[in-house]
């Protein structure tokens, strides 16, 4: 049946974060603080990895890629939300909406792949340490980074093209604080049940399979750690791996809820709450988890701060 009243060439209206919530301004200011913390934390981590030679290892190279992804991910949603809130304007052009969807899925897909490759790096480091330098050489690390970004771009391109070509009948109001595929599918006048199945299959590829590979890697890691005779080596391995497991659970858990369960079972408020956790809180927590629980990163920070204080005293 031919759909009527399609509005394919008009702007969308973002209703914003929890539009019916009282004192939403307090939440907005809290998110601004989180955003600044995330930008500062990830930028500091990137700077430390670049400056300290002790951090020029495969693990920290992959961690720098994760920080880049987190910086871009939180910056793809929060600034637009802040501009809309303080200006009172809620409209977003189709081009801007499509661009936001593209970057969101590119970065989300890249992070899923990157977290899997980081687990493999830890597996090789703990289970096969004598061959670690050979296996995880500079060329392999670069290939891992390229695969992460290309995988995210390919998946994102398919999602963006489909979503932005959905016919919209009637209301163009998106019940979200940024353009997200499930929210747009809900206002489409086209039956999207088939595509929801496609999204589920993509979720298996980018969420369930990575989670399975990460779990398998850490099973082997923990079995190896239990056989270690050195308590210090066991403690260091567990500290590094537990940090990565925390990041994985914080990121993949919300993704399972958003993309692996039927969209009809979510309310707009539930989707927004999960999106805030996934796209705002996680990019802030990642550098804190990796820095506070990592002696190498803390040492590099102390070294930089020590040099800065010495140079100030000399002047």
């Amino acid at each position: 049946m031919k759909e009527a009243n399609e509005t394919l060439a008009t702007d969308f209206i973002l209703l914003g974060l929890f539009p019916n919530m009282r004192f939403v301004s307090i939440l907005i200011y809290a998110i601004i603080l989180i955003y600044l913390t995330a930008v500062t934390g990830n930028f500091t981590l990137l700077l430390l990895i670049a400056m300290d030679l002790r951090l020029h290892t495969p693990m920290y190279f992959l961690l720098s890629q994760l920080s880049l992804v987190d910086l871009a991910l939180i910056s793809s949603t929060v600034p637009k939300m802040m501009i809309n809130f303080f200006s009172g304007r809620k409209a977003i052009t189709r081009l801007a909406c499509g661009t936001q969807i593209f970057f969101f899925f590119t970065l989300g897909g890249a992070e899923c792949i990157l977290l899997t490759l980081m687990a493999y790096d830890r597996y090789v480091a703990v289970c096969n340490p004598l061959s670690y330098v050979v296996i995880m050489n500079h060329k392999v690390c670069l290939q891992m980074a390229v695969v992460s970004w290309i995988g995210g771009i390919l998946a994102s391109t398919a999602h963006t093209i489909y979503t932005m070509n959905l016919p919209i009948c009637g209301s163009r109001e998106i019940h979200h604080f940024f353009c997200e595929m499930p929210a747009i599918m809900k206002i489409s006048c086209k039956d999207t049940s088939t595509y929801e199945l496609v999204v589920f299959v993509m979720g298996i590829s980018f969420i369930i399979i990575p989670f399975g590979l990460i779990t398998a890697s850490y099973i082997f890691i923990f079995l190896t750690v239990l056989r270690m005779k050195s308590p210090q080596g066991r403690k260091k391995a567990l500290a590094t791996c537990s940090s990565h497991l925390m990041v994985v659970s914080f990121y993949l858990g919300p993704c399972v809820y958003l993309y692996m369960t039927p969209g009809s079972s979510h309310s707009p408020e539930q989707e927004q709450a999960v999106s805030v956790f996934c796209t705002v809180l996680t990019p802030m927590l990642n550098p804190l988890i990796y820095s506070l629980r990592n002696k190498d990163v803390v040492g590099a920070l102390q070294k930089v701060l020590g040099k800065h204080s010495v140079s100030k005293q000399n002047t």
Side-chain angles (χ1 to χ4, degrees):
M1 191 173 79
K2 188 176 180 180
E3 289 111 347
N5 302 322
E6 295 180 4
T7 55
L8 291 172
T10 53
D11 297 347
F12 292 105
I13 298 171
L14 292 172
L15 293 182
L17 186 64
F18 304 121
N20 298 321
M21 177 183 174
R22 294 179 64 188
F23 310 117
V24 71
S25 58
I26 297 174
L27 182 60
I28 296 294
Y29 284 115
I31 289 176
I32 291 173
L33 183 61
I34 291 170
Y35 175 70
L36 294 174
T37 305
V39 170
T40 304
N42 283 291
F43 184 76
T44 301
L45 195 55
L46 283 168
L47 198 63
L48 291 174
I49 292 171
M51 292 176 61
D52 198 309
L53 292 176
R54 293 175 300 174
L55 303 182
H56 290 186
T57 63
M59 183 181 82
Y60 291 108
F61 172 76
L62 295 174
L63 182 55
S64 70
Q65 294 298 304
L66 183 65
S67 287
L68 279 174
V69 170
D70 284 337
L71 268 174
L73 181 62
I74 195 169
S75 297
S76 69
T77 58
V78 173
K80 176 61 178 173
M81 180 189 69
M82 290 189 295
I83 290 169
N84 285 5
F85 178 77
F86 289 110
S87 67
R89 290 179 293 176
K90 297 182 178 181
I92 183 170
T93 64
R94 288 188 65 85
L95 178 61
C97 188
T99 302
Q100 203 170 48
I101 291 173
F102 176 78
F103 279 107
F104 177 77
F105 275 106
T106 295
L107 298 163
E111 182 146 351
C112 289
I113 298 172
L114 198 55
L115 289 172
T116 309
L117 296 176
M118 290 174 74
Y120 174 73
D121 168 74
R122 292 298 83 208
Y123 163 76
V124 177
V126 176
C127 300
N128 199 1
L130 296 179
S131 303
Y132 179 70
V133 177
V134 177
I135 296 173
M136 295 298 296
N137 57 62
H138 184 66
K139 183 180 177 181
V140 169
C141 290
L142 288 176
Q143 289 173 342
M144 285 180 168
V146 171
V147 165
S148 299
W149 287 101
I150 291 178
I153 289 170
L154 290 176
S156 178
T157 301
H159 284 309
T160 304
I161 290 173
Y162 179 85
T163 305
M164 297 315 297
N165 281 284
L166 284 172
I168 309 298
C169 304
S171 175
R172 294 175 289 109
E173 294 181 343
I174 299 174
H175 291 262
H176 220 298
F177 63 94
F178 70 98
C179 281
E180 193 180 31
M181 180 187 66
I184 295 177
M185 288 170 66
K186 285 184 177 180
I187 64 172
S188 173
C189 53
K190 181 179 180 180
D191 181 16
T192 59
S193 57
T194 302
Y195 189 65
E196 285 186 13
L197 182 61
V198 174
V199 172
F200 181 82
V201 172
M202 293 286 281
I204 292 174
S205 302
F206 279 85
I207 301 172
I208 302 302
I209 291 177
F211 182 76
L213 292 173
I214 291 168
T215 302
S217 297
Y218 279 104
I219 288 172
F220 286 113
I221 287 171
F222 288 135
L223 290 175
T224 303
V225 167
L226 290 174
R227 293 196 296 267
M228 285 183 177
K229 295 181 180 180
S230 168
Q232 188 176 359
R234 188 184 302 151
K235 185 178 179 181
K236 184 178 180 181
L238 286 175
T240 305
C241 295
S242 62
S243 297
H244 185 63
L245 277 176
M246 286 176 68
V247 171
V248 168
S249 60
F250 284 157
Y251 186 75
L252 293 185
C255 288
V256 169
Y257 175 81
L258 281 176
Y259 302 108
M260 301 295 293
T261 56
S264 56
S265 64
H266 313 153
S267 70
E269 290 76 19
Q270 288 172 332
E271 289 186 352
Q272 288 190 44
V274 175
S275 293
V276 167
F277 185 86
C278 192
T279 64
V280 180
L281 279 176
T282 302
M284 180 201 71
L285 292 173
N286 286 355
L288 295 177
I289 291 169
Y290 278 109
S291 59
L292 295 177
R293 298 173 61 86
N294 191 302
K295 290 183 179 179
D296 293 335
V297 174
V298 173
L301 181 60
Q302 291 173 341
K303 184 179 176 182
V304 170
L305 294 176
K307 283 183 178 180
H308 181 67
S309 61
V310 169
S311 63
K312 284 186 71 176
Q313 289 174 3
N314 292 336
T315 55

